[in-house]
Amino acid sequence: MTESLSEMLQRMRTPQMPSAPSFEQIERSIEKVIDRFGTPQQPVEKDPERLLQEMQARIESWTWEKVPMGFVSRVGRLVFSAPWRDCSDWDLIRDFLIGELAVSTRPGLLNPFVQIYIGTFDALSSASRRLGNALEGARARLGVQWRQLVAEVPEFFDVDQAPRALAKRMMQMDDIWVGLRRIGLRMPHAPGLMDAAHLTFLTEIGPGLTQRAEIERLLSWLRPAGQPARAMGAAEAISALLRPWQRNAPPKDIQALLIDRLTELYGHPKVNRHAVWNLVDPGLEQLVLRWLMGADIRFLFRVLDEVERGHMWRDREDFWWLMYETGRIDEVWIAFNHDGFRTAMAKLSPDERRFSKRFGHQIGERDKSLLIMRIGNKIVVEGTFNFKVHIFETTDRFAPRLYQQKYDVADIRSRHSALTKSHLGDWQSWVRRHI
């Protein structure tokens, strides 16, 4: 018997809609790629004016055939960043894009403009303010990648409040890099908004930077594990770390921590100097250099104790340490012999060994390590075992220069313009008279 249509319809079950796909694995894969290889850098536009003119012409003629969304994002990145954001010639483009953000439901348009807002953020720019307001209006239409972030930081699109709101969240995080990634900021060291949040964070954490835990938290934020050191705002961070110790010396463990980590991150101010030191107050830089002098003298003696059994250095150590403590020494550099250099390198962390220029290498006689100092207008060279004290005028073209990577004691001995003194009798008084 043929089944009727009504009977067939009665037997039909309501179709079961498949569950929404999970993007968790995709998100994890993206995070792993970013962690390993870093965030892709936006290419520099070769002809930004041409790009803007093309966009303006398309708006005026309303011609949009075969225009990829990437083209619109590139234009948006330009017109909301300096110097174009302050140019009224491109108001038509900004007005058009703001209008599109007000009505669009396309994640392909909205999501890139959140990143543009972050990267081009300037609290004093009316263009940033307009973009923030437009994205605030589009909050409910943003793609999933930004929803957690704007929920965690409700003030995110308020240019007046966003830096402080982010800084407050950063203050609550033990590991700031991980914490920001967890709430949806994939690039915590991105320019723009994160630069502003970083500076506000330094103000917030400043009063606590006499405590080791807070110092370590800031240092970890400056260079998270597996990431390059932060450059923007680094000078302000260095200043914040050093400022509490201008009048009172830090405990030895904190001083050692600051010396080791700051030179690891941004180089020795006199050797492999990073550009950020040019933005640090000279008085604070001198504070670091003085700490480095003391640390290097002590480091030299510690290494010598290990590699030169029975060396005749104890009276020399006491004398030069007294000279340092009384403020007589202006600059210090050390050059280890072969065994000392190898031992000294082994005491550094893997990162420090890879980039370190904390000391030089004496490549001549195997038993000679050198302490090279500037004391006023003199260059003084001290050495282990039977090396005499050598005193040069700083104006002497034959005087050894500090901060070199290689020295040879035979070369220094051959420079006859130096005054020399063996370590016999009251050699200390002779040194005092001639410096």
Side-chain angles (χ1 to χ4, degrees):
M1 181 177 177
T2 304
E3 188 176 23
S4 67
L5 177 60
S6 60
E7 290 173 329
M8 292 175 62
L9 291 174
Q10 286 177 356
R11 286 194 302 99
M12 292 184 67
R13 291 177 294 178
T14 303
Q16 298 295 316
M17 298 298 293
S19 58
S22 171
F23 294 98
E24 182 178 354
Q25 188 58 47
I26 295 175
E27 292 288 334
R28 287 180 180 175
S29 298
I30 292 171
E31 297 292 341
K32 288 179 180 178
V33 171
I34 292 174
D35 284 340
R36 181 171 181 181
F37 299 104
T39 304
Q41 297 295 313
Q42 294 296 335
V44 176
E45 295 293 348
K46 295 180 179 179
D47 193 348
E49 298 289 335
R50 183 201 61 76
L51 198 68
L52 294 171
Q53 289 167 1
E54 180 182 345
M55 182 66 169
Q56 188 138 304
R58 287 186 178 281
I59 295 171
E60 291 171 343
S61 64
W62 210 249
T63 305
W64 301 109
E65 291 182 42
K66 299 182 180 179
V67 176
M69 195 62 69
F71 172 81
V72 178
S73 299
R74 288 165 59 200
V75 170
R77 192 170 294 108
L78 286 175
V79 293
F80 287 105
S81 63
W84 298 280
R85 66 181 168 217
D86 300 316
C87 180
S88 60
D89 292 349
W90 313 117
D91 283 347
L92 176 66
I93 298 176
R94 276 185 292 274
D95 291 344
F96 169 80
L97 293 173
I98 294 294
E100 287 296 304
L101 294 175
V103 298
S104 178
T105 59
R106 299 180 64 180
L109 175 69
L110 296 171
N111 289 348
F113 273 84
V114 178
Q115 192 61 59
I116 290 169
Y117 167 76
I118 295 171
T120 65
F121 180 92
D122 183 339
L124 300 179
S125 167
S126 61
S128 282
R129 191 175 300 275
R130 289 189 68 195
L131 181 56
N133 290 339
L135 291 168
E136 173 63 28
R139 176 187 290 258
R141 292 175 274 120
L142 295 179
V144 66
Q145 73 179 88
W146 298 115
R147 289 176 191 166
Q148 180 185 2
L149 177 61
V150 297
E152 295 270 0
V153 188
E155 309 92 336
F156 193 75
F157 294 123
D158 183 333
V159 295
D160 296 318
Q161 301 298 323
R164 182 166 297 279
L166 281 166
K168 292 287 188 184
R169 290 305 308 273
M170 292 164 72
M171 285 295 293
Q172 300 166 4
M173 299 170 179
D174 293 331
D175 186 322
I176 300 166
W177 176 272
V178 172
L180 290 173
R181 295 282 295 274
R182 192 168 288 147
I183 67 171
L185 268 168
R186 286 181 178 166
M187 297 173 286
H189 278 184
L193 177 54
M194 290 313 302
D195 286 342
H198 166 74
L199 295 178
T200 306
F201 170 69
L202 293 179
T203 301
E204 295 286 332
I205 199 174
L209 290 177
T210 57
Q211 303 169 33
R212 185 182 180 96
E214 290 295 80
I215 292 170
E216 290 181 333
R217 187 157 70 113
L218 176 52
L219 289 169
S220 295
W221 161 242
L222 291 175
R223 192 178 75 179
Q227 302 295 324
R230 184 178 180 88
M232 291 299 296
E236 291 84 352
I238 293 171
S239 299
L241 288 163
L242 298 177
R243 202 172 290 120
W245 314 112
Q246 286 180 290
R247 295 184 179 180
N248 300 307
K252 289 183 180 180
D253 65 320
I254 289 182
Q255 180 175 303
L257 172 67
L258 289 170
I259 289 172
D260 291 344
R261 293 298 304 281
L262 288 180
T263 54
E264 177 189 339
L265 295 179
Y266 302 111
H268 189 301
K270 290 286 189 178
V271 189
N272 52 332
R273 181 185 180 90
H274 192 290
V276 301
W277 287 109
N278 299 331
L279 303 175
V280 175
D281 180 89
L284 294 175
E285 182 182 327
Q286 285 301 313
L287 181 64
V288 171
L289 288 171
R290 175 157 179 76
W291 291 352
L292 277 166
M293 282 194 291
D296 287 346
I297 292 172
R298 286 304 197 203
F299 188 61
L300 170 65
F301 300 146
R302 182 156 57 100
V303 171
L304 292 179
D305 281 339
E306 293 186 28
V307 301
E308 299 190 6
R309 304 299 180 191
H311 70 81
M312 301 171 290
W313 187 266
R314 182 57 54 195
D315 60 333
R316 307 181 204 186
E317 176 180 347
D318 294 340
F319 175 71
W320 295 117
W321 186 254
L322 178 62
M323 296 288 284
Y324 163 74
E325 285 198 315
T326 54
R328 294 296 305 276
I329 301 177
D330 298 297
E331 296 181 76
V332 162
W333 186 241
I334 54 179
F336 287 107
N337 62 21
H338 177 73
D339 290 341
F341 190 84
R342 184 176 56 190
T343 301
M345 289 292 284
K347 293 182 181 298
L348 303 179
S349 69
D351 281 344
E352 286 181 298
R353 284 199 294 274
R354 191 161 58 249
F355 303 113
S356 180
K357 295 183 179 179
R358 277 284 300 273
F359 41 76
H361 192 178
Q362 196 289 113
I363 60 173
E365 298 175 29
R366 291 183 63 87
D367 63 349
K368 299 294 188 298
S369 291
L370 302 175
L371 175 61
I372 307 165
M373 299 162 280
R374 182 177 68 82
I375 302 176
N377 61 355
K378 310 290 184 181
I379 299 296
V380 181
V381 184
E382 176 66 282
T384 50
F385 290 102
N386 60 355
F387 187 87
K388 298 178 180 179
V389 179
H390 285 58
I391 301 178
F392 298 83
E393 298 289 336
T394 53
T395 54
D396 184 349
R397 65 190 181 93
F398 295 109
R401 291 187 297 163
L402 277 72
Y403 311 118
Q404 303 300 297
Q405 291 302 296
K406 292 184 179 180
Y407 297 86
D408 189 327
V409 293
D411 179 51
I412 295 173
R413 282 197 181 109
S414 70
R415 302 178 185 189
H416 300 300
S417 55
L419 296 172
T420 63
K421 176 67 175 176
S422 61
H423 297 85
L424 299 174
D426 188 10
W427 62 271
Q428 295 93 334
S429 295
W430 181 88
V431 170
R432 289 191 182 95
R433 285 198 308 273
H434 289 88
I435 61 173

